[in-house]
Amino acid sequence: MLIKIPRRNEPLASEITPREIALSRRGFLQGLAASSLAAAGWSAPAIATESSTRQRLPAQRNAKYSATDKPTAYADATTYNNFYEFGTDKGDPALYAGSLKPRPWTVRVDGEVKKPLTLDIDALLKLAPLEERLYRLRCVEGWSMAIPWIGFPLAELIRKVEPTGNAKYVEFTTLADRAQMPGVRSRVLEWPYTEGLRIDEANHPLTLLTLGMYGQVLPNQNGAPVRIIVPWKYGFKSAKSLVRIRFTEVQPRTSWNLAAPDEYGFYSNVNPEVDHPRWSQASERRIGEDGFFTKKRKTLMFNGYPEVASLYSGMDLRKFY
Ligand code: MTE
């Protein structure tokens, strides 16, 4: 992604750091408390591991919407994250997201709807049957994972609030609390982190309002207590720790598009034929398969979800990137 642009064609260190180095560096950071956040007084709690105390979240596996990929190891999925509210290093969210309080928590659903709602997490958990779906997540930086998410189609919530005829888009706003999120003190992005979808994308059965992963509630670093997962789009569209879902007539502003409009468009569909201005999008590194001699995987159109193609018929996907 973008932190500051050094020189054209020169990816940032955080974008190219191999996982092994990121992992060893994380240990180094923990040991020496050497990161800028630590220097600012944020202490590093122990690295999260698959937790026997984390609340279990029973859900029926939905085979129709589950990829057959080998799931990424829990330890990788929870320690190699992008969550800039907790810092820009891949290891920062696991180190610092312990300060996030996922309960009590409410999500406001409003805007162009007939029945606006404020839901707490228990109400969200009961809103529709929970499903487990193994989705691929492809980050715009060129790495990917396969994660068993737990949630329900966002369409279920959309139905409840009854959008008006003016509702053309959905805006997602996430928490930006300086007291809980050390990264919000930095100006790396405009806070709060916002994202958006066209309403037909939001209503697509693949779009998952997500409350858990790996059989448990979401770990903080993965977007607790509730996030969106849009598996055919680059990972930054899948906003974490949502506090508001607003229906709008005009296309919402989004954090990454504001930060670098030439690099991150509103649609951001995974597309191996449209390169990022600073690197190719033709292939990806699957986290956990990144040995020195391991070949990269070819990136698939719409991240291997061809059923969404009809949402974009007649659109030039080079223009609407
Ligand atoms: N949501 C918020 N609020 N802040 C972020 O920095 N990063 C995005 C997305 N959602 C981000 C966010 C990016 S770039 C990616 S790749 C995914 O979260 C990573 O999700 P994961 O850490 O669960 O794999």
Side-chain angles (χ1 to χ4, degrees), residues 135-165:
Y135 278 168
R136 287 178 287 274
L137 179 118
R138 165 62 157 87
C139 183
V140 74
E141 295 164 350
W143 52 267
S144 64
M145 299 195 193
I147 296 181
W149 302 108
I150 297 169
F152 55 81
L154 179 65
E156 298 279 356
L157 174 60
I158 297 179
R159 204 161 46 83
K160 288 244 174 343
V161 294
E162 298 184 19
T164 70

Side-chain angles (χ1 to χ4, degrees), residues 232 269-273 299-306 317:
W232 71 94
N269 293 316
V270 174
N271 188 342
E273 287 160 21
T299 289
L300 303 172
M301 187 65 200
F302 299 121
N303 202 20
Y305 297 94
L317 295 179

